[in-house]
Amino acid sequence: MTNKKELSERDIITQFILPAIEKAGWSIEKQVREEVFFTDGRIFVKGNKTARGERKRADIVLYYKPNIPIAIIEAKDNHHSIGSGMQQALNYSEILDIPVAYSCNGDGFLEHDRSGASAQIERNLTFDNFPSPDELWAKYKIFKGIASKDQEEIISLDYYFDGSGRAPRYYQEIAINRTVEAIAKDQKRILLVMATGTGKTYTAFQIIYRLWKGGIKKRILFLADRNALIDQAKRGDFKHFKDRMTVIRKKIIDKAFEIYLALYQGLTNYDEDKDAYKQFSPDFFDLIVIDECHRGSAAADSAWRTILEYFSSATHIGLTATPKETNVVSNTEYFGNPIYSYSLKQGIEDGFLAPYKVIRVGLNIDLEGWRPDSVIRDRNGDPVEDRIYNLKDYDRNLVIDERTKAIARKISEFLKKTNAYDKTIVFCVDIEHADRMRQALANANPAEVKKSHKYVMRITGDDEIGKRELDNFTNPEETYPVIATTSKLMTTGVDAQTCKLIVLDSNIASMTEFKQIIGRGTRINEEFGKQFFTIMDFRNVTDLFADPDFDGDPVMIKEISIEDDLTDEHIHPEEDEIIIDPETGEEVNFGESEKADLGIPTIIGGGEIESGPKGKVYVAGIDVSILNERVQHLDENGKLITESLREYTKKGILREYRSLEDFLSKWNQAEKKQSVIHELEAHGVILENLKDEVKKDLDIFDLICHVAWDMPALTRRERADQVMKRNYFTKYGEQAKRILNALLDKYASEGIENIEELSVLKVDPFTGMGTPSEIVDVFGGKENYLKAIKELENEIYKAA
């Protein structure tokens, strides 16, 4: 008889867990999934390189039906207690929204019931009395508050499968299931908050499909405010509806379809008697999904709300990455609290969204302000009003040519150092500013613009040529345009998968707008090398990262009763609120005052007439220079590091190793030094990021010892020279010495991690010494080669 203590965790699953659940009536093929990886592993950035962290993995997940998980099992070998896997199982059960968790070590099961189905939360089970699918389904229904047979039928509706193997990610699965469960319980207003880039449209499609295919919602309207959103949905996930779907264009209504996609502008004429949506009866639609609902439906007086109120009998689902909560606008007042939120922070931690670096550039006139002297004239020869100008003025009231050129040079400098063809979006104050920035960037990149005038383009709501290039900009297969200058058009509804640089040269005070802009960079496309992005900030906009609302749950701040006196704060939006014209995607300019808007001619001494308010003042010949430049990185929790990178790294190393002796022991015992580096990276300590700050070509070992314990440090070249002086190569033959010398040079130039892998033998200078197998044979086989590498490493760190 086999001794359980000799069995691996895999053996415990195969010999005990699977037979027990199969005996209880579970279909191993249809209801049981093993090794369920449900995250992609956080992306860590190392200089310009990236690496994935560990993926979260559940040993076994039990499903009542595909995509409806109802229990999770964590297995341990028999050296562990029966409940040793429970804390991990509970952690995963909360993340995955699963009611029942099990731990098993081969002696039986420990069950933890989160459903509230019984008074006993935890109990021990033998292998003969594991619950059946129906028993756990009963617990699931209690956990979800499903009381009737009709409700049960709705939450059991099938997902769409197209045979490609695509399935919802775990958070999409939760959003879909919770929405369908809410509708089963007859909830009429539903809000889903999901960070940009996390697949809101696919989530909406699966919700719609399940309800439509099941006959619960027969006619459905998908409502958006940008053509790009409608076109993306039609060409993408919604294409599976085929001839049952139509897009409402030019306010032409055809009632023969079941799935309708529409711009809200396409349903309204702003004339109560002619509004196109009134061609439908108020009860025509059973379900309305409002994409990017923060843009319109949150406001009580918006055209969206007029449409929604007309179709008030339908169920309304709001989708947004950025719920809007101000004193006058509220998503939660209309939809209620979100039934599920998946944040930017969660997306980055799970590895589904790209992490980012921030480069904050401070110009002298931005940090110190600028005051014109008595001889300064604008381009018309007129004196410039004597006052101190600052970031709020630049490019809105005052244009300084040198400032625009300095920013264009800095952007170009960054792209030349990284990749001149990395997709870049530059957010400007307005259309005119976007046009000047396009010109400055073209002049800063003459060689690239010579190859194609589309290297840099203005993409704004008023420019049809630019707007036609939007698809090319977002298409990873298309090289041009590379740089897009814009103001508001590209803040939302643009799926720029390969955008690697976002430049902020606009005064953005709205948290909603800021989140949307950051969302342009968060998508990952590993096929095209997009795993992270950079934010270059010229306006201190990234101060908003410190705002607790940046990545928190939406908070309701509009609280007023009928008895309250209305104040200016209640009646008027805050001054920094941005109002967007949905047709152009640009900010509405309300002007300085009603008088200014009228453009009444003003008599200037002697009878000359100046018509209306003055526009922007343009000046040139100003000294503009960069006073400081700071690169910020993310920590392991997705927060920007505000202390020095050196101090942050030191703390991270000291968390891992209690003392220098502890680290030396780990380093010397490591089979591969790379494993020590990986271990630190997995906890957010990216040593590569520190190399530029230290400004020395240090070995990774010396970098750790120097930063954490202030030890004297040697460069890689100094360590390599010490090895050469000891002349330890003499015990090897000539060919082996040549190879080891080349490996030592490789170490000196690139680091220890680059000589530990056999793949190093496939690059110069080793390709001139033979094939990898021939080189290994020089040492008498792979084992002896690896032994020689180990000895070389020992020599490198002999002094340590």
Side-chain angles (χ1 to χ4, degrees):
M1 184 175 178
T2 305
N3 182 353
K4 279 186 193 176
K5 298 295 183 187
E6 297 176 358
L7 298 179
S8 66
E9 184 179 295
R10 178 71 252 170
D11 294 331
I12 296 294
I13 291 172
T14 304
Q15 296 183 31
F16 294 94
I17 296 176
L18 293 179
I21 59 181
E22 189 171 25
K23 183 179 178 182
W26 293 85
S27 168
I28 300 297
E29 184 183 336
K30 295 180 179 178
Q31 294 180 298
V32 180
R33 283 182 61 200
E34 297 182 60
E35 295 192 347
V36 180
F37 288 94
F38 57 91
T39 70
D40 273 1
R42 182 191 174 111
I43 294 175
F44 292 102
V45 182
K46 178 181 178 182
N48 212 32
K49 300 175 185 176
T50 58
R52 287 274 187 183
E54 288 187 18
R55 302 168 69 190
K56 286 187 172 70
R57 176 184 65 84
D59 288 335
I60 296 175
V61 177
L62 304 181
Y63 295 81
Y64 186 71
K65 294 183 72 172
N67 297 112
I68 304 178
I70 60 177
I72 187 169
I73 304 172
E74 284 301 312
K76 297 293 179 185
D77 63 39
N78 203 246
H79 291 283
H80 293 80
S81 67
I82 192 171
S84 61
M86 182 52 73
Q87 290 194 152
Q88 186 176 2
L90 285 172
N91 180 34
Y92 289 173
S93 71
E94 287 186 0
I95 293 171
L96 300 174
D97 206 24
I98 293 174
V100 188
Y102 295 93
S103 175
C104 178
N105 70 341
D107 291 336
F109 294 98
L110 176 65
E111 177 189 81
H112 185 108
D113 185 357
R114 300 171 57 225
S115 71
S118 61
Q120 188 176 9
I121 292 177
E122 290 197 353
R123 61 174 179 158
N124 287 302
L125 302 173
T126 69
F127 290 117
D128 291 325
N129 63 350
F130 190 84
S132 68
D134 287 340
E135 287 176 283
L136 287 185
W137 180 241
K139 291 179 185 290
Y140 182 88
K141 288 188 290 183
I142 293 169
F143 182 65
K144 295 292 188 176
I146 302 301
S148 70
K149 192 69 179 172
D150 287 345
Q151 291 176 348
E152 181 179 356
E153 286 179 5
I154 293 173
I155 69 167
S156 303
L157 294 171
D158 291 334
Y159 275 69
Y160 176 82
F161 296 99
D162 61 4
S164 68
R166 182 183 184 187
R169 293 169 173 169
Y170 83 88
Y171 62 85
Q172 295 170 334
E173 192 176 80
I174 295 170
I176 295 161
N177 288 342
R178 285 194 184 179
T179 302
V180 172
E181 288 154 10
I183 289 171
K185 290 182 273 191
D186 206 31
Q187 187 171 324
K188 289 292 191 180
R189 304 290 178 263
I190 297 165
L191 181 63
L192 286 175
V193 177
M194 296 171 66
T196 300
T198 55
K200 290 190 294 295
T201 307
Y202 178 65
T203 301
F205 163 73
Q206 286 286 7
I207 292 167
I208 292 169
Y209 177 84
R210 290 178 70 190
L211 297 168
W212 170 73
K213 193 68 175 176
I216 306 302
K217 303 293 182 183
K218 296 177 182 177
R219 287 185 292 214
I220 295 144
L221 173 64
F222 181 82
L223 196 59
D225 74 334
R226 292 282 179 89
N227 272 316
L229 292 169
I230 293 293
D231 293 340
Q232 284 172 18
K234 181 188 175 186
R235 292 195 308 260
D237 299 309
F238 280 59
K239 66 186 176 190
H240 303 296
F241 289 124
K242 298 178 181 174
D243 56 0
R244 304 294 184 90
M245 174 180 65
T246 187
V247 176
I248 299 174
R249 299 194 188 279
K250 298 181 179 179
K251 301 181 175 64
I252 298 171
I253 304 299
D254 185 341
K255 300 177 186 176
F257 294 89
E258 296 168 57
I259 312 293
Y260 293 80
L261 310 182
L263 294 177
Y264 82 83
Q265 303 97 307
L267 294 178
T268 55
N269 294 302
Y270 304 99
D271 181 333
E272 195 172 331
D273 297 324
K274 296 180 181 178
D275 282 336
Y277 67 85
K278 291 189 176 177
Q279 294 180 47
F280 297 109
S281 63
D283 60 355
F284 184 85
F285 293 110
D286 304 307
L287 174 66
I288 300 178
V289 177
I290 306 97
D291 198 14
E292 304 289 1
C293 67
H294 66 278
R295 292 178 62 80
S297 57
D301 59 350
S302 73
W304 295 70
R305 285 286 278 271
T306 306
I307 295 171
L308 297 182
E309 284 163 8
Y310 180 79
F311 297 115
S312 60
S313 63
T315 300
H316 298 168
I317 301 173
L319 304 174
T320 183
T322 52
K324 183 173 281 191
E325 301 298 328
T326 71
N327 289 323
V328 295
V329 175
S330 172
N331 279 118
T332 57
E333 183 186 43
Y334 184 80
F335 290 103
N337 290 322
I339 62 167
Y340 185 61
S341 295
Y342 187 73
S343 69
L344 172 66
K345 177 184 175 183
Q346 288 172 285
I348 292 174
E349 286 177 351
D350 288 343
F352 296 126
L353 295 180
Y356 49 86
K357 296 189 218 177
V358 177
I359 299 175
R360 292 169 63 110
V361 183
L363 300 171
N364 59 334
I365 60 170
D366 296 352
L367 301 176
E368 299 168 349
W370 178 75
R371 182 178 179 182
D373 58 34
S374 58
V375 299
I376 287 287
R377 294 288 185 272
D378 65 18
R379 69 181 180 187
N380 295 320
D382 298 321
V384 179
E385 181 186 352
D386 182 17
R387 65 179 178 87
I388 295 176
Y389 294 85
N390 55 37
L391 281 171
K392 289 188 176 179
D393 297 298
Y394 301 146
D395 301 297
R396 184 171 294 281
N397 308 312
L398 178 75
V399 174
I400 299 176
D401 283 349
E402 287 76 13
R403 185 181 183 280
T404 309
K405 292 173 183 175
I407 289 171
R409 283 196 302 271
K410 180 54 68 174
I411 296 168
S412 305
E413 177 190 333
F414 178 84
L415 289 173
K416 284 166 187 169
K417 284 183 178 178
T418 53
N419 182 349
Y421 290 90
D422 281 346
K423 298 281 181 153
T424 299
I425 306 176
V426 185
F427 287 96
C428 302
V429 168
D430 56 22
I431 290 172
E432 186 272 345
H433 181 205
D435 194 41
R436 281 187 294 104
M437 186 59 73
R438 182 207 62 78
Q439 183 180 343
L441 283 163
N443 287 331
N445 295 275
E448 300 302 339
V449 173
K450 207 171 195 179
K451 293 175 191 173
S452 172
H453 72 276
K454 292 182 180 180
Y455 180 76
V456 54
M457 293 198 74
R458 172 167 64 97
I459 301 179
T460 51
D462 70 321
D463 191 302
E464 289 303 320
I465 294 173
K467 282 198 291 186
R468 282 200 296 270
E469 290 295 329
L470 187 55
D471 282 347
N472 288 331
F473 180 81
T474 58
N475 184 353
E477 302 278 357
E478 293 290 338
T479 302
Y480 300 107
V482 175
I483 305 173
T485 67
T486 190
S487 57
K488 306 298 178 190
L489 183 65
M490 297 175 73
T491 58
T492 186
V494 177
D495 187 10
Q497 296 177 25
T498 53
C499 177
K500 288 190 178 181
L501 178 62
I502 289 175
V503 179
L504 304 174
D505 192 28
S506 177
N507 298 317
I508 299 158
S510 160
M511 182 60 73
T512 300
E513 186 180 8
F514 179 58
K515 284 185 178 181
Q516 289 289 340
I517 285 173
I518 298 310
R520 298 313 103 210
T522 55
R523 287 168 174 81
I524 294 170
N525 190 319
E526 296 190 77
E527 182 185 350
F528 288 87
K530 163 67 184 300
Q531 291 98 2
F532 72 97
F533 68 105
T534 302
I535 301 166
M536 186 175 282
D537 181 11
F538 292 93
R539 301 259 180 169
N540 299 326
V541 177
T542 51
D543 286 346
L544 288 169
F545 281 129
D547 191 314
D549 286 339
F550 174 68
D551 209 13
D553 292 327
V555 177
M556 180 67 179
I557 64 169
K558 182 183 176 185
E559 296 177 354
I560 182 169
S561 71
I562 194 69
E563 292 84 14
D564 288 336
D565 292 328
L566 283 173
T567 65
D568 285 345
E569 186 181 7
H570 295 136
I571 297 169
H572 303 295
E574 58 265 28
E575 289 183 6
D576 58 18
E577 184 66 14
I578 304 294
I579 307 299
I580 306 298
D581 180 349
E583 290 287 348
T584 64
E586 300 299 330
E587 180 183 348
V588 176
N589 183 9
F590 290 94
E592 294 297 317
S593 65
E594 280 192 21
K595 183 176 180 180
D597 285 339
L598 293 173
I600 300 171
T602 305
I603 304 295
I604 307 289
E608 294 178 12
I609 295 180
E610 178 176 293
S611 181
K614 291 185 72 171
K616 296 181 182 182
V617 175
Y618 296 80
V619 296
I622 309 302
D623 173 37
V624 176
S625 57
I626 293 171
L627 284 189
N628 63 49
E629 186 173 344
R630 182 158 55 108
V631 179
Q632 289 181 296
H633 302 267
L634 295 175
D635 67 13
E636 70 270 28
N637 296 314
K639 296 294 183 184
L640 279 174
I641 300 167
T642 54
E643 62 192 326
S644 80
L645 192 57
R646 187 185 185 113
E647 281 303 309
Y648 170 79
T649 305
K650 179 177 180 177
K651 287 180 183 177
I653 295 169
L654 293 177
R655 276 200 306 269
E656 287 299 303
Y657 307 105
R658 290 166 296 177
S659 65
L660 175 59
E661 290 72 24
D662 187 24
F663 167 70
L664 290 175
S665 173
K666 182 78 172 182
W667 183 265
N668 290 327
Q669 290 173 22
E671 193 64 34
K672 286 187 176 181
K673 309 309 180 191
Q674 182 68 40
S675 64
V676 177
I677 300 167
H678 281 325
E679 192 172 300
L680 287 167
E681 287 177 355
H683 293 87
V685 181
I686 312 298
L687 295 161
E688 190 76 20
N689 292 337
L690 189 63
K691 286 184 179 179
D692 287 341
E693 191 168 312
V694 174
K695 301 294 183 190
K696 286 185 179 179
D697 186 23
L698 298 185
D699 181 271
I700 210 80
F701 169 87
D702 289 278
L703 186 65
I704 293 171
C705 294
H706 179 63
V707 168
W709 295 285
D710 296 319
M711 298 297 292
L714 297 176
T715 66
R716 293 192 300 267
R717 176 49 63 190
E718 286 169 338
R719 285 197 174 276
D721 288 345
Q722 284 186 351
V723 174
M724 294 298 292
K725 287 174 186 175
R726 287 196 290 270
N727 204 21
Y728 106 98
F729 292 136
T730 52
K731 67 178 182 175
Y732 293 101
E734 285 305 314
Q735 181 68 352
K737 276 198 280 188
R738 225 164 50 94
I739 294 164
L740 289 170
N741 268 311
L743 285 166
L744 190 60
D745 281 340
K746 202 76 174 170
Y747 156 77
S749 61
E750 296 180 12
I752 195 70
E753 59 269 38
N754 290 292
I755 70 168
E756 292 187 322
E757 301 296 335
L758 286 170
S759 56
V760 73
L761 302 179
K762 297 178 180 178
V763 299
D764 285 335
F766 303 102
T767 49
M769 301 179 186
T771 66
S773 60
E774 288 170 343
I775 292 173
V776 167
D777 286 342
V778 170
F779 294 85
K782 182 178 177 182
E783 189 176 335
N784 285 337
Y785 171 80
L786 294 176
K787 184 180 176 184
I789 295 296
K790 189 70 177 172
E791 286 181 358
L792 177 60
E793 288 185 344
N794 290 340
E795 288 295 321
I796 289 171
Y797 299 110
K798 201 166 192 175

